[in-house]
Amino acid sequence: EVQLVESGGGLVKPGGSLRLSCAASGFTFSSYAINWVRQAPGKGLEWLSSITSSSTYIYYADSVRGRFTISRDNAKNAVYLQMNSLRAEDTGVYYCARDLEFSFDGMDVWGQGTTVTVSS
Amino acid sequence: QSVLTQPPSASGTPGQRVIISCSGSRSNIGSNYVYWYQQLPGTAPKLLIYRNNQRPSGVPDRFSGSKSGTSASLAISGLRSEDEADYYCVASDDSLNGRVFGGGTKVTVL
């Protein structure tokens, strides 16, 4: 079964750090670009970052550039999101999602999400 | 404020046709493919339409997408109760060098 599973969410204080993981299975992970998308409580979806299959190209939304870092380990079939200098507005559900064929193509496989809460 | 503009809500009775609009600019919709996602309550989003008007396998042909200039639309024909969900349009943006979402449209089946 093609699957993405996020982990690493939790409660963190403002200014703190958290590292999210996205574990892939059921497909040739090293052939696909992966994204992180979040959803604040009661709000819409927001794209955060993308990393191409070989990590050649990395993209960030302005809202997280300089604070978040995306990376991947194709040997472990995993993508990570290192989140630093967290703010209350970073609270939400974080999803990882696979691009269909090329970067910024449709995201056809999504994880179930992991919840991040930034609060003192 | 989202880069892509969608109406916050839309509604219809069972069997009706509902159309959701998505307005952007030359740097996003005007230059790139548009994608649509459906998000049922409490679940992860699901790809509904890709590359303006293509349906992934398993998506009913009641759902169709179109694009013209800097706008796009999603049509739901033969509306069903299980279509009650939030719908999002997405495109890449050449100026932002990233992906932008619309604010989402909540579809209610009356």
Side-chain angles (χ1 to χ4, degrees), chain A residues 1-2 20 32 53 63 70-71 75 81 83-85 98 103 113:
Chain A
E1 181 192 2
V2 174
L20 305 184
Y32 291 87
S53 57
S63 58
I70 191 172
S71 62
L81 188 67
M83 305 187 296
N84 298 331
S85 304
R98 182 184 85 168
S103 289

Side-chain angles (χ1 to χ4, degrees), chain A residues 32-35 97-110, chain B residues 33-37 46-52 54 56 90-92 99 101:
Chain A
Y32 291 87
I34 302 292
N35 303 268
R98 182 184 85 168
D99 273 336
L100 190 54
E101 278 192 29
F102 47 82
S103 289
F104 301 142
D105 198 6
M107 293 177 280
D108 66 331
V109 178
W110 292 69
Chain B
Y33 290 123
V34 176
Y35 301 82
W36 291 90
Y37 296 85
K46 170 189 170 183
L47 181 63
L48 204 61
I49 297 288
Y50 67 100
R51 300 174 204 162
N52 300 335
Q54 303 299 301
V90 184
S92 54
R99 200 180 231 133
F101 275 84

Side-chain angles (χ1 to χ4, degrees), chain B residues 2-105:
Chain B
S2 302
V3 174
L4 304 182
T5 301
Q6 298 180 236
S9 63
S11 62
T13 56
Q16 273 191 329
R17 185 169 187 247
V18 169
I19 297 177
I20 301 168
S21 62
C22 176
S23 178
S25 65
R26 200 182 316 176
S27 64
N28 41 65
I29 293 178
S31 310
N32 298 288
Y33 290 123
V34 176
Y35 301 82
W36 291 90
Y37 296 85
Q38 177 193 60
Q39 188 177 31
L40 298 169
T43 69
K46 170 189 170 183
L47 181 63
L48 204 61
I49 297 288
Y50 67 100
R51 300 174 204 162
N52 300 335
N53 54 22
Q54 303 299 301
R55 278 186 309 275
S57 61
V59 173
D61 59 7
R62 302 186 295 105
F63 295 91
S64 61
S66 63
K67 174 185 139 175
S68 178
T70 59
S71 294
S73 61
L74 172 72
I76 310 173
S77 303
L79 194 64
R80 304 175 67 159
S81 58
E82 58 259 40
D83 299 333
E84 276 207 346
D86 294 321
Y87 293 84
Y88 296 88
C89 60
V90 184
S92 54
D93 191 298
D94 296 339
S95 298
L96 298 175
N97 210 23
R99 200 180 231 133
V100 289
F101 275 84
T105 299

Side-chain angles (χ1 to χ4, degrees), chain A residues 36-40 44-49 61 63-64 89, chain B residues 101:
Chain A
W36 286 98
V37 175
R38 75 181 172 192
Q39 187 166 35
L45 299 168
E46 179 188 14
W47 170 81
L48 300 179
S49 183
S63 58
V64 303
E89 54 265 36
Chain B
F101 275 84

Side-chain angles (χ1 to χ4, degrees), chain A residues 75-118:
Chain A
K76 295 184 177 179
N77 286 357
V79 171
Y80 308 100
L81 188 67
Q82 177 66 42
M83 305 187 296
N84 298 331
S85 304
L86 283 163
R87 308 165 179 165
E89 54 265 36
D90 294 318
T91 294
V93 177
Y94 284 68
Y95 297 99
C96 61
R98 182 184 85 168
D99 273 336
L100 190 54
E101 278 192 29
F102 47 82
S103 289
F104 301 142
D105 198 6
M107 293 177 280
D108 66 331
V109 178
W110 292 69
Q112 84 290 349
T114 188
T115 299
V116 173
T117 303
V118 184

